[in-house]
Every structure is written in structure tokens, then in C-alpha cells.
Amino acid sequence: MTDNKVLMQVRDLSVEYKTRLGMVSAVDHVSFDIYEGEILGLVGESGCGKSTLGKALMRMIQPPGRIIGGELIFNGKDIMTYDEKQMQDFRGRKASMIFQDPMTSLNPVQRVDEHLIEAIQVHFPEISKEEALQRASELIERLGIQSNRMSSYPHQLSGGMRQRVMVALGLILNANLIIADEATTSLDVIVEAKLADEFRDIRREFGVTMLVITHNIALVAELSDRLAVMYAGHMVEMGDVYKVFDDPLHPYTQGLLNSVPNIQLDEGKELYKMPGEPPNLTHPPSGCRFHPRCPMAMAICSRIEPDLIEVQPGRHVKCWLYQDHPEKSEPTLEVSK
Ligand code: SF4
């Protein structure tokens, strides 16, 4: 997949939120690439910054949050330089976002056909209503919804159908990138698994690129080509999904995967529980943000932040275990329980 062309380059992206307790460093100097045609899974604990990162890629961070730096290079152009009109065009024709609860994105008093026709005509006013309706009906059928549901209101559809309508709103304008933020979380497990399968079909049929943000490790294992792991606002590991699952490099990824319920766990054995708690991002830990919880922490880890580096072709990790530094020879740190 990393042989494919890069669709989006994220460089040094930082987002912070102003709170009563101080500035929260939600995404801190994050850099990575999204390749054309891939499904990239993005995982991490609640509050690690993964949803903030997804919204930042669309420049949809609302006050009191703001993007404080970085470049978002999409097909060679830095969308951080776009004005609001250019961004409105970008959001729809180039990239679209699907959220956990489509009811908050869909207008409850607009029918499915009205949503889709409006989306087409806002971006392509030259297309007639009849032609827009024809395109919308064809697409909705390809996504497994009978065209007679075009006249339904959002509340008359099941959760899975509403998510498919959101996907249709992305595809109807031929968006290159769809960002799905916990898009399957509110669905029951059977519908969730079915929709995940459909995401793969959609990628194949429409050649679309997807960033799937989720806390559901099993879902990304099934769905993604590559996996990205975030911890406390940092991207800590990225790589081919099978390689990361087979041989996680970062101690946080190791803990995360070991704590996933597993039917192969021997009877009587307990699931791994990561020590400590995620940090308060108004005052993030110095050095490696994972150091207070890391069983492998060394003295250098609390003082100096490692870079995210490529340690094997296509595999990136942000950890001193894989980098040299003159101060690395000092002893291991105590981990908080
Ligand atoms: Fe652990 Fe140090 Fe690696 Fe951070 S840099 S994950 S503290 S070993």
C-alpha cells in the first residue's frame, strides 16, 4: 500500500483547546501520510486526540479548539492556506466525514433524496434536479438501500441505513477521502460487522481512500490495510496492520493489543491491564508522554521526546527503544501502578 501515491501529507500538525484548567495539547506535532486507495485505521484510548485529528484534517475544529500549526497537503496543495469558500468546496468534493451519530449530521426534516440532491446542486449548480435525483437513486441502490427509501426521513431508517446515507453523501460528489469517526460504534455488532464489510466493498468499487477512527481494535484488524496508534496527542506507531498486530513495537501498542478480550486466553489467566491512567493533557508528561505508564521506560524517556522514525520499511515508531542517543545508557524508570 505504501507503494501507492500519497493522497494527503500531514506535517507537524498541532491542535489545542482552551479550557478553564489551561490549554489542552490534544494533537502535538503529528506527521504522517495517507495513501491513495488505502483504508487506514486510527486507534487509541478515549481522549488520545484521534477524533480531534480527524476533524483537523477537514479543518473542522471549532472554538475553543484551534489548529496552532502544521501543513495539510492534499494532492500537492496545502489546504491550510485555503479560505473558507475553498474549504467548503474541499469538504464534499475532495473529502467528507462520517460521525458516530448520523442523526446529528442529517437534517431530521429533510428526506434522503433532498439531502443528496442538495449536496449535488450546492457543488454543481449546473446539474438539474432530475439528473441529480437519477444519480442519487443509482448510488443509494449500489449501497444496498432500496430506492423507495429515498423518500424516507432519517428517523424512518435503521442506524446502518443512516450511516450508508452518510457514505452516499460523501460518494455522490466523488470525494477522494472519507473519514469515518467511530461511524460504526452506535450500531449493534452484527450491523457493525456488515457495515465494515461494506466499507471494504466501497473502497474497491469507488476507489475511495478511508481513514477509519475507532476504539474497536477488532474492527480495524478486519478492515484496515495500515494501522496508526495514537497516545496522548502523539502518533506513536504506524505500519501494515498485520505486522503491527503480529509484532507491535511500541510498548503502548503492546499493552493495547494485550488488553483486548481474546477467546484464546487460557482459562484462569487475566487480561493485561495497562498500569496508570492516560495523562492530563493540560500538563502532559515531559519527554515520552507514555513514560509514567511504560514498563520499559528508561531515564532518557522522561527527559527527551523521541521522534517518530521509520525503523523498518513502512513501519514507524516513536520510542527510545528503537533509537540511539548518548543519554540512553542510564537506568530504567519506576512505572506507576
Ligand atoms: Fe517507553 Fe521510553 Fe519507549 Fe516511551 S520512549 S514508550 S517510555 S521505552
Side-chain angles (χ1 to χ4, degrees):
M1 194 47 73
T2 51
D3 294 336
N4 287 15
K5 191 174 155 229
V6 175
L7 177 67
M8 190 167 201
Q9 293 169 288
V10 179
R11 291 291 173 269
D12 228 13
L13 181 70
S14 294
V15 181
E16 60 181 28
Y17 287 91
K18 193 173 181 183
T19 71
R20 275 188 306 116
L21 301 174
M23 299 308 281
V24 171
S25 163
V27 173
D28 183 48
H29 297 283
V30 164
S31 298
F32 65 102
D33 294 334
I34 302 176
Y35 293 95
E36 249 177 25
E38 75 169 339
I39 300 181
L40 174 62
L42 176 60
V43 297
E45 291 163 297
S46 295
C48 71
K50 56 190 189 302
S51 290
T52 298
L53 176 59
K55 288 194 194 107
L57 299 192
M58 302 282 289
R59 287 190 44 202
M60 286 169 66
I61 301 287
Q62 299 289 332
R66 67 189 183 107
I67 297 176
I68 57 167
E71 294 177 343
L72 297 171
I73 301 161
F74 190 92
N75 266 336
K77 297 203 180 96
D78 183 4
I79 65 163
M80 287 301 294
T81 64
Y82 283 10
D83 60 24
E84 197 40 46
K85 188 167 179 317
Q86 288 173 300
M87 277 313 297
Q88 277 171 12
D89 202 44
F90 175 83
R91 296 185 202 109
R93 283 175 76 159
K94 301 290 179 197
S96 85
M97 192 154 185
I98 311 170
F99 295 98
Q100 178 173 345
D101 181 6
M103 284 303 276
T104 57
S105 307
L106 295 170
N107 184 341
V109 296
Q110 248 186 348
R111 299 186 317 250
V112 172
D113 55 356
E114 290 169 334
H115 277 97
L116 289 160
I117 291 167
E118 183 181 290
I120 294 172
Q121 290 193 317
V122 163
H123 291 274
F124 300 98
E126 69 279 10
I127 294 181
S128 69
K129 193 174 170 191
E130 292 67 34
E131 191 186 337
L133 180 61
Q134 177 69 24
R135 276 196 202 182
S137 304
E138 283 169 16
L139 177 63
I140 218 82
E141 284 198 2
R142 277 166 83 186
L143 291 173
I145 302 178
Q146 289 175 346
S147 57
N148 62 6
R149 303 311 297 264
M150 290 282 278
S151 54
S152 299
Y153 289 95
H155 72 274
Q156 295 172 317
L157 302 174
S158 67
M161 278 189 200
R162 283 197 288 266
Q163 285 299 25
R164 281 186 208 111
V165 171
M166 291 302 300
V167 172
L169 283 166
L171 295 174
I172 198 88
L173 301 174
N174 296 325
N176 308 84
L177 174 65
I178 291 184
I179 300 175
D181 183 11
E182 300 285 6
T184 61
T185 302
S186 61
L187 307 173
D188 68 58
V189 285
I190 294 173
V191 180
E192 182 179 40
K194 193 163 181 298
L195 195 63
D197 275 351
E198 287 169 11
F199 278 176
R200 288 196 82 96
D201 294 343
I202 288 165
R203 185 269 297 268
R204 201 170 38 243
E205 190 174 342
F206 295 89
V208 73
T209 304
M210 300 185 90
L211 174 65
V212 176
I213 301 169
T214 180
H215 65 280
N216 186 337
I217 305 277
L219 181 84
V220 283
E222 190 129 321
L223 185 63
S224 312
D225 303 299
R226 287 194 309 141
L227 184 62
V229 183
M230 274 190 87
Y231 181 79
H234 285 164
M235 189 68 80
V236 297
E237 181 159 1
M238 288 193 84
D240 174 276
V241 70
Y242 295 112
K243 290 189 179 154
V244 176
F245 269 82
D246 272 0
D247 180 23
L249 299 178
H250 195 281
Y252 174 67
T253 316
Q254 292 165 1
L256 194 67
L257 297 185
N258 283 337
S259 57
V260 176
N262 179 350
I263 55 167
Q264 288 170 341
L265 188 76
D266 292 339
E267 206 165 318
K269 266 195 137 186
E270 287 190 14
L271 266 179
Y272 177 76
K273 184 173 179 303
M274 194 113 54
E277 299 291 331
N280 175 349
L281 293 181
T282 53
H283 296 95
S286 56
C288 168
R289 289 185 173 183
F290 188 55
H291 85 258
R293 305 173 74 186
C294 179
M296 323 278 277
M298 301 164 279
I300 188 177
C301 303
S302 64
R303 288 204 302 271
I304 306 174
E305 183 186 329
D307 291 327
L308 180 76
I309 60 161
E310 189 168 28
V311 291
Q312 297 162 17
R315 290 212 59 185
H316 294 78
V317 64
K318 184 180 176 71
C319 173
W320 282 120
L321 292 173
Y322 308 92
Q323 301 179 37
D324 282 331
H325 192 281
E327 291 187 37
K328 235 183 98 171
S329 52
E330 292 174 38
T332 300
L333 283 179
E334 280 289 305
V335 178
S336 61
K337 294 281 184 282

